[in-house]
Amino acid sequence: MGSPAEVCSLEHYLELPDHILEDRLLTAKQALGREVVILGHHYQRDEVIRFADFRGDSYKLSKEAGKAAGRYIVFCGVHFMAESADILSRPGQITVLPDLNAGCSMADMAEITQVEECWEQLVRAGMTSEEGVGITPITYINSTAAIKAFVGERGGVVCTSANAAAAIKWGLAKNSKLLFVPDQHLGRNTGFALGIPLQEMVVWDPYIINGGLTTDRLCSAKVILWKGHCSVHQRFLPEHVDNVRAKYPGIRVIVHPECRWEVSQKADAVGSTEGLLRMIRQAPPGTSFAVGTEIHLVNRMRREFAAEDKRVITLDDYCGCLCSTMFRISPQHLCWALENLAEGHVVNQIKVKDDVKHWARVALDRMLEIQ
Ligand code: CIZ
Ligand code: SF4
């Protein structure tokens, strides 16, 4: 390990080539021992995920964060995931995000002030009380801690793509209407699969007065979808499904629910990252899949399932869709974070404010109860 001065300088690490980092990463991880748990999201690159103690989707990793025994949780993922880990961790535990620039463009599409304004309009239209009698607010985990707290305080819940259907059913058992933030596609795909007609789902545009909706339209809707999306999954198009089917007859097309509705309708199945993995795992040898989700996961699926004689390609047959913010977590950033922790310096701590934590935790705990 380098001198303390070197340990503190991120710039120094950014110049290091990948191949010399492996030993240093292993050494730092060993030095920290049980004091650290490294959580790695499925969309992380191989050079990073190989150091994860647990890999998974937000749902699985949130559970691991809640169970982590050591002092440090190093989250190789994006900002909202590290926030959730901090909220679910025990007092005194420290959550670290190796690069603070690892955000999520979808989470950025909903700001707490915009959600508050939307809710005020819904209250004014007589659709709900301030406390959430009338509409159940649901936020996808890809949102800020402040929005999770907002939802928790109003009787709502956080969902992930793995339990969105259960969360929607839960929300509709409480109230006849839902506000679903921030991913319109996850909300629409899941709502439609549960039998809610498209006409009963409206899109709230936070940049237009009254969400761009007449009061009649708003009041007649069952689900109010926030106008947000994932720019990575948005790139999968219906013609990709047609092209891949024409090129590889018999191939199974499976896509993530962040993909647009037209793509999900053409696919054979829709699932969260854990769901997509399960579908491939359970398929008989010889099956081929075109998968519509982030390219690092698809490439890993291709390699790991080749041994079972299953073929996996990306749905976008050309280059695949990369989440550039997940990609920000590099082995250099991870090494910098771990070596600093091993030297007793906490870097890039993610700390959610106490007043936000309480209600955000309520909403996350409800999420973990809903399967
Ligand atoms: O929930 C997650 O981790 C995300 C962002 C996608 C998925 O389906 O796992
Ligand atoms: Fe956010 Fe999309 Fe990246 Fe997931 S893939 S972290 S939703 S930008």
Side-chain angles (χ1 to χ4, degrees):
M1 209 170 293
S3 70
E6 281 173 334
V7 163
C8 293
S9 155
L10 175 61
E11 284 65 37
H12 164 79
Y13 283 81
L14 296 180
E15 288 166 8
L16 300 175
D18 282 10
H19 69 272
I20 73 150
L21 288 171
E22 184 151 344
D23 283 350
R24 284 177 66 162
L25 275 160
L26 283 173
T27 308
K29 202 177 161 191
Q30 270 165 12
L32 285 157
R34 286 167 179 265
E35 286 287 67
V36 71
V37 62
I38 303 177
L39 303 179
H41 190 270
H42 284 311
Y43 295 159
Q44 290 291 301
R45 40 171 129 171
D46 290 346
E47 312 87 90
V48 168
I49 201 122
R50 69 207 301 179
F51 295 101
D53 297 299
F54 298 97
R55 60 170 85 169
D57 62 355
S58 304
Y59 188 82
K60 204 165 150 185
L61 297 178
S62 296
K63 285 201 155 167
E64 291 304 336
K67 287 193 290 191
R71 200 146 46 113
Y72 305 118
I73 298 170
V74 174
F75 211 119
C76 298
V78 289
H79 193 269
F80 71 81
M81 298 179 182
E83 276 192 333
S84 301
D86 180 54
I87 295 163
L88 291 167
S89 64
R90 283 180 291 106
Q93 282 183 313
I94 289 172
T95 302
V96 167
L97 180 65
D99 184 351
L100 294 179
N101 292 313
C104 164
S105 56
M106 178 200 286
D108 291 343
M109 290 178 194
E111 286 172 19
I112 181 61
T113 49
Q114 295 176 320
V115 175
E116 284 165 352
E117 273 168 34
C118 168
W119 193 255
E120 269 169 38
Q121 294 275 358
L122 301 178
V123 172
R124 231 177 283 140
M127 295 171 69
T128 180
S129 71
E130 174 56 42
E131 297 75 24
V133 179
I135 299 182
T136 309
I138 301 182
T139 188
Y140 190 21
I141 195 160
N142 299 33
S143 55
T144 62
I147 292 177
K148 292 183 176 84
F150 180 93
V151 158
E153 198 170 357
R154 285 156 188 80
V157 66
V158 176
C159 76
T160 67
S161 41
N163 73 347
I168 287 184
K169 281 194 220 158
W170 180 91
L172 287 176
K174 285 189 81 173
N175 285 301
S176 60
K177 292 175 187 288
L178 302 176
L179 171 65
F180 194 95
V181 182
D183 186 13
Q184 58 168 306
H185 300 296
L186 176 65
R188 185 180 295 108
N189 286 328
T190 313
F192 189 78
L194 289 173
I196 303 172
L198 290 185
Q199 314 82 268
E200 292 187 22
M201 298 192 256
V202 293
V203 177
W204 177 278
D205 184 339
Y207 291 97
I208 302 183
I209 291 174
N210 221 0
L213 297 164
T214 61
T215 307
D216 277 357
R217 187 80 186 97
L218 197 55
C219 289
S220 65
K222 194 169 194 63
V223 182
I224 300 153
L225 302 167
W226 194 262
K227 193 173 182 200
H229 63 263
C230 165
S231 25
V232 179
H233 289 87
Q234 192 82 353
R235 288 177 51 197
F236 294 110
L237 300 173
E239 50 266 39
H240 292 144
V241 182
D242 299 336
N243 294 346
V244 88
R245 287 198 197 284
K247 197 161 167 192
Y248 307 101
I251 198 162
R252 281 187 65 72
V253 176
I254 58 176
V255 303
H256 194 275
E258 287 171 17
C259 292
R260 57 187 88 216
W261 182 80
E262 294 80 357
V263 171
S264 78
Q265 288 304 298
K266 280 186 174 251
D268 294 302
V270 179
S272 65
T273 53
E274 286 290 328
L276 297 171
L277 278 162
R278 200 177 318 118
M279 288 173 209
I280 304 176
R281 214 174 282 133
Q282 290 172 351
T287 315
S288 296
F289 291 92
V291 183
T293 195
E294 207 276 341
I295 191 64
H296 287 90
L297 175 59
V298 177
N299 282 339
R300 205 170 299 123
M301 287 166 161
R302 177 171 50 74
R303 282 194 306 275
E304 291 179 359
F305 288 106
E308 296 175 29
D309 190 27
K310 295 170 192 172
R311 180 160 186 242
V312 178
I313 59 169
T314 173
L315 174 56
D316 161 13
D317 213 5
Y318 308 100
C319 52
C321 297
L322 172 131
C323 176
S324 55
T325 47
M326 284 276 181
F327 193 69
R328 294 200 75 109
I329 309 290
S330 64
Q332 286 76 7
H333 285 90
L334 180 59
C335 190
W336 172 71
L338 291 184
E339 288 191 356
N340 266 297
L341 291 179
E343 296 283 342
H345 306 299
V346 173
V347 291
N348 286 7
Q349 180 175 3
I350 300 297
K351 207 166 163 21
V352 176
K353 287 196 224 128
D354 286 340
D355 56 332
V356 173
K357 242 181 189 178
H358 172 76
W359 284 112
R361 171 138 203 166
V362 170
L364 280 164
D365 282 342
R366 287 183 189 137
M367 168 190 95
L368 294 172
E369 280 161 24
I370 296 175
Q371 293 292 331

